[in-house]
């Protein structure tokens, strides 16, 4: 990676602040805006907290090594440790829709890492005994501070609609006036999904905002075409195309 920065600290909670500030500053120096740098800082905080609290113990302490920097159109973060290997499949998805009486508080760390970053991978090297958490965020174009990119995964149907609405509302509440939904990972779209997208677009328009879409898979694109929704939404072929367009619109 070009513009790489590295920091190694003891794997204790007292190191969190320094690790996060280091990642935030590296992101700013790589040309990212303050909101994107904050997203990276939050992902690093959640990742490092998991390492400190679960990979190491008081009887078996260790270090956390953070390497981050710009790599072409991506900002890459790598965290290394020599603690207990982590299997992300053991973490259930968080409950984002239940009431305060029934909602479980756990499972949000992995969720936030996935929301803040575009790619999250866990690797273990048996030869060195080292764990690596590799995260990256697409930052090819510097965006205005009112733009938020929201990656969406899986199905957009009646079941998933409330969670999608929550995510978009959160993006708007953090200052996102123009929101881009990246549908690369969406494999299924129903009429209920179309309805929630339409309602969200209306909400944003009502507050002088905008909802755009990009990277539709063939099956999803066909549903848009069949229902005439291609005439309602601004749809970009790729994320890079969308980001370039949003960067030019003030």
């Amino acid at each position: 990676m070009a513009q790489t920065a590295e920091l190694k600290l003891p794997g204790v909670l007292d190191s969190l602040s320094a690790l996060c500030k280091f990642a935030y500053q590296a992101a700013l120096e790589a040309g990212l805006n303050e909101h994107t740098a904050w997203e990276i800082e939050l992902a690093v905080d959640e990742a490092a907290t998991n390492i400190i609290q679960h990979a190491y113990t008081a009887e078996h302490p260790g270090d956390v090594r953070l390497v981050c920097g710009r790599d072409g159109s991506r900002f890459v973060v790598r965290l290394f440790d020599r603690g207990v290997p982590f299997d992300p499949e053991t973490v259930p998805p968080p409950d984002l829709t239940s009431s305060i009486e029934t909602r479980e508080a756990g499972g949000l760390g992995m969720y936030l890492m996935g929301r803040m970053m575009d790619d999250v991978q866990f690797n273990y090297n048996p030869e060195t005994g080292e764990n690596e958490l590799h995260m990256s965020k697409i930052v090819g174009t510097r965006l205005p501070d009112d733009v938020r990119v929201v990656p969406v995964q899986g199905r957009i149907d009646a079941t998933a609609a409330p969670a999608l609405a929550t995510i978009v509302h959160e993006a708007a509440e953090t200052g996102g006036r123009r929101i881009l939904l990246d549908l690369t990972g969406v494999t299924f779209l129903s009429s209920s999904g179309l309805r929630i997208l339409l309602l969200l677009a209306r909400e944003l328009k009502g507050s002088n905002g905008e909802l755009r879409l990009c990277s539709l898979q063939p099956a999803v694109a066909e549903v848009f075409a069949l229902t005439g929704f291609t005439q309602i939404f601004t749809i970009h072929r790729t994320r890079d195309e969308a980001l370039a367009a949003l960067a030019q619109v003030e």
Side-chain angles (χ1 to χ4, degrees):
M1 291 186 295
Q3 305 179 32
T4 299
E6 182 172 340
L7 177 66
K8 184 177 181 180
L9 291 174
V12 295
L13 291 176
D14 286 345
S15 298
L16 275 179
S17 178
L19 289 166
C20 291
K21 289 179 180 178
F22 185 83
Y24 181 86
Q25 188 60 38
L28 292 180
E29 292 176 359
L32 282 60
N33 62 36
E34 291 184 357
H35 185 269
T36 304
W38 166 80
E39 291 178 319
I40 291 167
E41 178 186 8
L42 178 55
V44 168
D45 181 278
E46 297 295 343
T49 299
N50 283 344
I51 292 171
I52 293 166
Q53 293 184 331
H54 301 295
Y56 293 129
T57 64
E59 295 76 20
H60 298 90
D63 296 322
V64 177
R65 182 163 61 94
L66 170 63
V67 180
C68 54
R70 188 72 174 261
D71 187 7
S73 63
R74 289 179 177 267
F75 188 87
V76 178
V77 174
R78 301 165 69 198
L79 290 111
F80 298 88
D81 70 84
R82 294 181 179 276
V84 177
F86 174 69
D87 180 3
E89 297 299 324
T90 63
V91 180
D95 179 1
L96 302 177
T97 58
S98 294
S99 66
I100 189 172
E101 291 82 7
T102 60
R103 183 177 299 194
E104 295 290 338
L108 293 175
M110 281 285 296
Y111 167 75
L112 287 173
M113 288 160 58
R115 287 280 294 109
M116 296 300 105
M117 307 297 283
D118 293 304
D119 184 57
V120 179
Q121 297 180 20
F122 292 85
N123 303 301
Y124 173 69
N125 187 332
E127 296 182 0
T128 64
E130 195 170 45
N131 302 305
E132 177 189 353
L133 170 54
H134 185 285
M135 302 186 291
S136 65
K137 190 172 187 67
I138 299 174
V139 292
T141 303
R142 179 162 184 164
L143 296 177
D145 288 339
D146 68 340
V147 172
R148 302 288 183 272
V149 180
V150 178
V152 185
Q153 302 290 328
R155 299 166 62 94
I156 304 181
D157 55 18
T159 302
L164 176 60
T166 298
I167 292 171
V168 172
H169 289 152
E170 289 173 350
E173 289 168 1
T174 62
R177 186 174 63 86
R178 294 178 289 161
I179 296 176
L180 173 66
L181 294 185
D182 185 339
L183 305 186
T184 303
V186 174
T187 57
F188 181 88
L189 175 69
S190 70
S191 61
S192 297
L194 288 172
R195 180 177 181 276
I196 194 63
L197 290 174
L198 181 60
L199 292 175
L200 291 170
R202 286 175 177 170
E203 286 183 28
L204 287 170
K205 186 175 182 179
S207 57
N208 296 318
E210 181 184 14
L211 183 69
R212 295 193 183 196
L213 313 173
C214 73
S215 307
L216 278 63
Q217 297 301 316
V220 174
E222 185 172 352
V223 174
F224 271 88
L226 288 171
T227 56
F229 270 55
T230 51
Q231 307 302 315
I232 298 175
F233 286 92
T234 300
I235 302 175
H236 299 277
R237 186 174 55 87
T238 66
R239 181 191 285 210
D240 285 345
E241 178 184 292
L243 296 181
L246 285 166
Q248 295 173 2
V249 179
E250 295 297 335

